[in-house]
Amino acid sequence: GGAAAMLHLARPRAARFAFAQLGSSLLSREVLLGALFCGVLLVDVFLRGVGVDAGRVLQVLPWIAAGLGLLFVHAIVRVYRIRTVPTWDARATPIAFFGTTVLLGVAAAAVLFVIRQAEGHAADQSLRSLGLIGAGVVVVELWTLWRHLTKLEAEGGAGARGARAVLRERRGLLGLRTFCAAFGALILVAGTEQELGTETPAAVLVACGLLLLAEVLGRYLFYASHRRVGL
């Protein structure tokens, strides 16, 4: 994802100047935190892959990576909280971005548990907790999104135009996003609440696929709602 972001640049060779304005540029901080996050992950994967007995280091690195990842998402949120874009400059934006972080993290962890189970490892009861967490995040995300858009539409102005671009012009995609998120969460809870058996892996994988599709659609709709106030 970080490498693909280079395609946004008009002059990719100028990317080396991304860290030049850390004191004043939110985007520079986002780039730095993203690089640190990926760097710590790569070090962790490398040490585990080569079998280095790093002891305490291998226990600490994942927590450092998790902390940097959350700071990275926070930096992204601040970049998008643009005062001249009312559809973005709201509490719905951090809820959407951190919701995606938690939900896709839950989905990825659930898939990894299923893979381990298929390889003969004992079923992990954490799957049940992951299902409930995922369902809770979906409820918060969808409620916040619909409340935010309907409120903007009622207020008028640029915010209303952005809300209508989602609620009316792309209502089919909004409905699909809502269905995938809700149905995916339902399947995830149902699949992880069962006694873990042969049906559970398929249910979990289908649920995680639906949740991933819902979040991709959600990000598309987020950008589609962009309407600027003034020049």
Side-chain angles (χ1 to χ4, degrees), residues 166 170 173-174 177 216-225:
V166 176
R170 295 171 177 83
L173 289 179
L174 179 60
R177 185 250 192 277
V216 171
L217 290 172
R219 201 58 64 237
Y220 169 79
L221 293 172
F222 174 81
Y223 289 115
S225 71

Side-chain angles (χ1 to χ4, degrees), residues 26-48:
L26 293 172
L27 192 57
S28 289
R29 296 172 200 171
E30 176 192 336
V31 174
L32 175 62
L33 288 167
L36 290 174
F37 172 60
C38 293
V40 172
L41 281 180
L42 288 174
V43 170
D44 184 54
V45 170
F46 174 77
L47 292 177
R48 294 174 192 275

Side-chain angles (χ1 to χ4, degrees), residues 106 125-134 192-193:
V106 163
Q125 298 305 313
S126 298
L127 265 174
R128 297 187 177 189
S129 299
L130 290 174
L132 294 174
I133 292 171
T192 55
E193 282 296 325

Side-chain angles (χ1 to χ4, degrees), residues 70 97-107 133-134 137:
L70 291 174
F97 277 76
F98 279 103
T100 297
T101 301
V102 175
L103 191 58
L104 294 188
V106 163
I133 292 171
V137 171

Side-chain angles (χ1 to χ4, degrees), residues 57-88:
V57 174
L58 290 180
Q59 296 179 11
V60 173
L61 280 179
W63 290 101
I64 295 175
L68 288 169
L70 291 174
L71 289 173
F72 178 40
V73 176
H74 174 67
I76 295 172
V77 168
R78 292 194 63 190
V79 167
Y80 282 109
R81 290 291 297 268
I82 303 171
R83 294 175 62 185
T84 55
V85 183
T87 46
W88 293 359

